Amino acid sequence: MGWEALGRWGADAARVERLSGGVANDVWRVRVDGRPAVGRLGRRSDADLAWETGLLQYLDRERLTVPVPIPTVDGRLFVDGLVVMTFLEGGPPETSDDWRRVAGALRELHRVTSGWPQRPGWRSSTDLLHADSGTKVDLNAMPAEGVARCRAAWARLAGRAACVVHGDPNAGNVRITADRVGLIDWDEAHVDVPDLDLALPDNAAGLDDEAYDVAGQASAAWEAAVCWDDEYSKRRLAAVRAV
């Protein structure tokens, strides 16, 4: 159905302006019931979207600032790959203090999602010590030497407790105001070891040297594997130390 499905959110629902959404999704600023919102059209399965929208509703109840799914007129949270969510005001983090606030929001996410079920079809970084693929990751497509480096980085996370990780907490996915930190773009969220979210600029999460190195190496390996093989993924793999 594509964007025609936006009509399910009401007769006045309309696209306003295309936003940056990467290669996997078509993302627009939309208007629903006279208010600004964000519409995201992609190819994720209903099970995947049910996991994501259910998570966002839960995080909103737990008082985290996230885009909240807006239901259709008949109460559905997604239709044919289209999700409509509230629009978050704010700008990207710019200072060390901003990034410390981001670290606090991520730690709260990790705290309230301990024991959360895995996103359908996904695997965690430590699952990939023994599996070759899961959703966007296909280790068989990577050079064997690169896979060995990634697995060595992830092996340092083995045995740690898991929770939901945002999966891509870069500056473009943060909306900061004077009184809140909003996290947007949950397309890469899944259950994993929280360290993957904490390799932040200026070590904003306050990790000790060893922990910051573990987080940085594991995060670089994840970003290489999940994006392989574009130029960004190759740069991230180059940052993972040789075994």
Side-chain angles (χ1 to χ4, degrees):
M1 181 177 287
W3 281 105
E4 292 81 2
L6 187 59
R8 305 280 188 172
W9 277 262
D12 73 334
R15 285 185 285 174
V16 177
E17 176 187 17
R18 178 175 263 124
L19 303 173
S20 174
V23 297
N25 299 295
D26 191 17
V27 184
W28 284 69
R29 188 192 303 262
V30 301
R31 186 179 64 252
V32 172
D33 199 21
R35 292 173 292 182
V38 174
R40 189 191 77 198
L41 179 64
R43 298 181 178 179
R44 291 289 174 87
S45 69
D46 285 358
D48 183 282
L49 294 176
W51 184 95
E52 182 182 351
T53 53
L55 171 68
L56 292 173
Q57 288 182 314
Y58 168 75
L59 295 177
D60 178 59
R61 292 194 300 270
E62 291 292 316
R63 301 184 180 277
L64 277 79
T65 301
V66 298
V68 180
I70 299 171
T72 62
V73 171
D74 61 359
R76 288 180 284 175
L77 296 180
F78 49 88
V79 177
D80 295 332
L82 178 62
V83 183
V84 177
M85 296 166 281
T86 55
F87 179 79
L88 295 187
E89 299 286 352
E94 297 178 344
T95 67
S96 295
D97 185 59
D98 287 345
W99 278 109
R100 283 191 288 272
R101 292 174 62 200
V102 174
L106 290 167
R107 288 193 187 279
E108 182 64 5
L109 162 67
H110 302 156
R111 185 188 70 82
V112 302
T113 58
S114 176
W116 202 263
Q118 182 61 278
R119 192 168 194 155
W122 284 67
R123 295 185 189 274
S124 69
S125 55
T126 52
D127 289 336
L128 292 169
L129 294 174
H130 308 290
D132 292 327
S133 63
T135 310
K136 295 176 71 174
V137 175
D138 180 7
L139 297 182
N140 294 314
M142 296 180 71
E145 185 270 341
V147 173
R149 278 194 276 156
C150 289
R151 282 178 163 159
W154 297 330
R156 299 169 75 189
L157 303 175
R160 303 190 186 198
C163 58
V164 172
V165 296
H166 177 277
D168 191 17
N170 68 73
N173 288 335
V174 179
R175 295 290 181 268
I176 282 192
T177 66
D179 58 358
R180 62 162 178 76
V181 176
L183 299 171
I184 66 171
D185 192 358
W186 292 77
D187 201 44
E188 303 292 334
H190 62 287
V191 171
D192 215 313
V193 177
D195 305 58
L196 290 183
D197 274 346
L198 299 179
L200 299 173
D202 301 321
N203 191 16
L207 305 178
D208 64 36
D209 290 347
E210 173 70 12
Y212 192 54
D213 183 68
V214 169
Q217 288 288 290
S219 177
W222 179 264
E223 290 176 356
V226 82
C227 299
W228 192 262
D229 65 333
D230 63 16
E231 289 305 312
Y232 178 76
S233 69
K234 292 175 182 177
R235 290 196 303 271
R236 297 306 285 148
L237 182 59
V240 181
R241 287 192 298 272
V243 179

PDB file of all heavy atoms in Angstrom, residues 192-208:
ATOM      1  N   ASP A 192      20.929  -6.740  23.840  1.00  0.00           N
ATOM      2  CA  ASP A 192      22.365  -6.985  23.742  1.00  0.00           C
ATOM      3  C   ASP A 192      23.011  -6.543  25.049  1.00  0.00           C
ATOM      4  O   ASP A 192      22.314  -6.188  26.012  1.00  0.00           O
ATOM      5  CB  ASP A 192      22.969  -6.228  22.556  1.00  0.00           C
ATOM      6  CG  ASP A 192      24.106  -6.992  21.879  1.00  0.00           C
ATOM      7  OD1 ASP A 192      24.996  -7.492  22.607  1.00  0.00           O
ATOM      8  OD2 ASP A 192      24.108  -7.067  20.646  1.00  0.00           O
ATOM      9  N   VAL A 193      24.314  -6.527  25.085  1.00  0.00           N
ATOM     10  CA  VAL A 193      25.058  -6.083  26.254  1.00  0.00           C
ATOM     11  C   VAL A 193      25.106  -4.547  26.247  1.00  0.00           C
ATOM     12  O   VAL A 193      25.396  -3.947  25.203  1.00  0.00           O
ATOM     13  CB  VAL A 193      26.483  -6.681  26.245  1.00  0.00           C
ATOM     14  CG1 VAL A 193      27.284  -6.179  27.415  1.00  0.00           C
ATOM     15  CG2 VAL A 193      26.399  -8.208  26.254  1.00  0.00           C
ATOM     16  N   PRO A 194      24.805  -3.883  27.361  1.00  0.00           N
ATOM     17  CA  PRO A 194      24.676  -2.422  27.352  1.00  0.00           C
ATOM     18  C   PRO A 194      25.926  -1.670  26.938  1.00  0.00           C
ATOM     19  O   PRO A 194      25.841  -0.525  26.483  1.00  0.00           O
ATOM     20  CB  PRO A 194      24.274  -2.082  28.791  1.00  0.00           C
ATOM     21  CG  PRO A 194      24.639  -3.277  29.605  1.00  0.00           C
ATOM     22  CD  PRO A 194      24.490  -4.447  28.690  1.00  0.00           C
ATOM     23  N   ASP A 195      27.082  -2.304  27.060  1.00  0.00           N
ATOM     24  CA  ASP A 195      28.339  -1.655  26.655  1.00  0.00           C
ATOM     25  C   ASP A 195      28.280  -1.096  25.236  1.00  0.00           C
ATOM     26  O   ASP A 195      28.934  -0.099  24.921  1.00  0.00           O
ATOM     27  CB  ASP A 195      29.498  -2.654  26.746  1.00  0.00           C
ATOM     28  CG  ASP A 195      29.626  -3.291  28.118  1.00  0.00           C
ATOM     29  OD1 ASP A 195      28.628  -3.911  28.558  1.00  0.00           O
ATOM     30  OD2 ASP A 195      30.697  -3.181  28.726  1.00  0.00           O
ATOM     31  N   LEU A 196      27.501  -1.747  24.350  1.00  0.00           N
ATOM     32  CA  LEU A 196      27.439  -1.302  22.956  1.00  0.00           C
ATOM     33  C   LEU A 196      26.924   0.131  22.827  1.00  0.00           C
ATOM     34  O   LEU A 196      27.225   0.809  21.849  1.00  0.00           O
ATOM     35  CB  LEU A 196      26.555  -2.235  22.136  1.00  0.00           C
ATOM     36  CG  LEU A 196      27.080  -3.642  21.868  1.00  0.00           C
ATOM     37  CD1 LEU A 196      26.110  -4.402  20.986  1.00  0.00           C
ATOM     38  CD2 LEU A 196      28.458  -3.603  21.227  1.00  0.00           C
ATOM     39  N   ASP A 197      26.131   0.587  23.804  1.00  0.00           N
ATOM     40  CA  ASP A 197      25.596   1.949  23.773  1.00  0.00           C
ATOM     41  C   ASP A 197      26.507   2.965  24.453  1.00  0.00           C
ATOM     42  O   ASP A 197      26.222   4.165  24.402  1.00  0.00           O
ATOM     43  CB  ASP A 197      24.246   1.996  24.502  1.00  0.00           C
ATOM     44  CG  ASP A 197      23.059   1.631  23.620  1.00  0.00           C
ATOM     45  OD1 ASP A 197      23.216   1.587  22.385  1.00  0.00           O
ATOM     46  OD2 ASP A 197      21.974   1.396  24.179  1.00  0.00           O
ATOM     47  N   LEU A 198      27.558   2.521  25.120  1.00  0.00           N
ATOM     48  CA  LEU A 198      28.272   3.403  26.046  1.00  0.00           C
ATOM     49  C   LEU A 198      29.649   3.853  25.582  1.00  0.00           C
ATOM     50  O   LEU A 198      30.383   4.489  26.341  1.00  0.00           O
ATOM     51  CB  LEU A 198      28.373   2.719  27.416  1.00  0.00           C
ATOM     52  CG  LEU A 198      27.026   2.411  28.077  1.00  0.00           C
ATOM     53  CD1 LEU A 198      27.232   1.699  29.416  1.00  0.00           C
ATOM     54  CD2 LEU A 198      26.188   3.668  28.263  1.00  0.00           C
ATOM     55  N   ALA A 199      29.984   3.582  24.329  1.00  0.00           N
ATOM     56  CA  ALA A 199      31.248   4.099  23.781  1.00  0.00           C
ATOM     57  C   ALA A 199      30.992   5.509  23.252  1.00  0.00           C
ATOM     58  O   ALA A 199      31.054   5.776  22.057  1.00  0.00           O
ATOM     59  CB  ALA A 199      31.765   3.180  22.684  1.00  0.00           C
ATOM     60  N   LEU A 200      30.711   6.422  24.155  1.00  0.00           N
ATOM     61  CA  LEU A 200      30.254   7.769  23.813  1.00  0.00           C
ATOM     62  C   LEU A 200      31.407   8.765  23.740  1.00  0.00           C
ATOM     63  O   LEU A 200      32.481   8.528  24.316  1.00  0.00           O
ATOM     64  CB  LEU A 200      29.231   8.232  24.859  1.00  0.00           C
ATOM     65  CG  LEU A 200      27.968   7.375  24.976  1.00  0.00           C
ATOM     66  CD1 LEU A 200      27.123   7.844  26.161  1.00  0.00           C
ATOM     67  CD2 LEU A 200      27.155   7.419  23.689  1.00  0.00           C
ATOM     68  N   PRO A 201      31.226   9.878  23.054  1.00  0.00           N
ATOM     69  CA  PRO A 201      32.283  10.893  22.986  1.00  0.00           C
ATOM     70  C   PRO A 201      32.737  11.353  24.365  1.00  0.00           C
ATOM     71  O   PRO A 201      31.926  11.463  25.296  1.00  0.00           O
ATOM     72  CB  PRO A 201      31.608  12.040  22.223  1.00  0.00           C
ATOM     73  CG  PRO A 201      30.556  11.378  21.396  1.00  0.00           C
ATOM     74  CD  PRO A 201      30.053  10.240  22.238  1.00  0.00           C
ATOM     75  N   ASP A 202      34.027  11.589  24.497  1.00  0.00           N
ATOM     76  CA  ASP A 202      34.614  12.073  25.753  1.00  0.00           C
ATOM     77  C   ASP A 202      34.360  11.125  26.917  1.00  0.00           C
ATOM     78  O   ASP A 202      34.346  11.549  28.073  1.00  0.00           O
ATOM     79  CB  ASP A 202      34.082  13.466  26.107  1.00  0.00           C
ATOM     80  CG  ASP A 202      34.369  14.488  25.022  1.00  0.00           C
ATOM     81  OD1 ASP A 202      35.478  14.425  24.442  1.00  0.00           O
ATOM     82  OD2 ASP A 202      33.499  15.323  24.744  1.00  0.00           O
ATOM     83  N   ASN A 203      34.132   9.834  26.609  1.00  0.00           N
ATOM     84  CA  ASN A 203      33.824   8.854  27.656  1.00  0.00           C
ATOM     85  C   ASN A 203      32.747   9.394  28.590  1.00  0.00           C
ATOM     86  O   ASN A 203      32.883   9.383  29.820  1.00  0.00           O
ATOM     87  CB  ASN A 203      35.080   8.467  28.442  1.00  0.00           C
ATOM     88  CG  ASN A 203      34.858   7.274  29.357  1.00  0.00           C
ATOM     89  OD1 ASN A 203      33.871   6.540  29.221  1.00  0.00           O
ATOM     90  ND2 ASN A 203      35.756   7.079  30.314  1.00  0.00           N
ATOM     91  N   ALA A 204      31.650   9.863  27.997  1.00  0.00           N
ATOM     92  CA  ALA A 204      30.586  10.506  28.773  1.00  0.00           C
ATOM     93  C   ALA A 204      29.946   9.578  29.796  1.00  0.00           C
ATOM     94  O   ALA A 204      29.383  10.042  30.788  1.00  0.00           O
ATOM     95  CB  ALA A 204      29.512  11.038  27.829  1.00  0.00           C
ATOM     96  N   ALA A 205      30.037   8.260  29.571  1.00  0.00           N
ATOM     97  CA  ALA A 205      29.453   7.312  30.520  1.00  0.00           C
ATOM     98  C   ALA A 205      30.346   7.074  31.732  1.00  0.00           C
ATOM     99  O   ALA A 205      29.959   6.355  32.655  1.00  0.00           O
ATOM    100  CB  ALA A 205      29.153   5.978  29.827  1.00  0.00           C
ATOM    101  N   GLY A 206      31.556   7.658  31.736  1.00  0.00           N
ATOM    102  CA  GLY A 206      32.434   7.548  32.892  1.00  0.00           C
ATOM    103  C   GLY A 206      32.995   6.157  33.121  1.00  0.00           C
ATOM    104  O   GLY A 206      33.215   5.753  34.262  1.00  0.00           O
ATOM    105  N   LEU A 207      33.267   5.428  32.045  1.00  0.00           N
ATOM    106  CA  LEU A 207      33.831   4.086  32.178  1.00  0.00           C
ATOM    107  C   LEU A 207      35.314   4.165  32.513  1.00  0.00           C
ATOM    108  O   LEU A 207      35.997   5.126  32.149  1.00  0.00           O
ATOM    109  CB  LEU A 207      33.651   3.316  30.868  1.00  0.00           C
ATOM    110  CG  LEU A 207      32.227   3.217  30.308  1.00  0.00           C
ATOM    111  CD1 LEU A 207      32.247   2.473  28.981  1.00  0.00           C
ATOM    112  CD2 LEU A 207      31.293   2.528  31.299  1.00  0.00           C
ATOM    113  N   ASP A 208      35.820   3.135  33.201  1.00  0.00           N
ATOM    114  CA  ASP A 208      37.267   3.109  33.407  1.00  0.00           C
ATOM    115  C   ASP A 208      37.948   2.750  32.087  1.00  0.00           C
ATOM    116  O   ASP A 208      37.293   2.411  31.095  1.00  0.00           O
ATOM    117  CB  ASP A 208      37.665   2.154  34.537  1.00  0.00           C
ATOM    118  CG  ASP A 208      37.329   0.681  34.265  1.00  0.00           C
ATOM    119  OD1 ASP A 208      37.429   0.239  33.101  1.00  0.00           O
ATOM    120  OD2 ASP A 208      36.975  -0.030  35.225  1.00  0.00           O
TER     121      ASP A 208
END
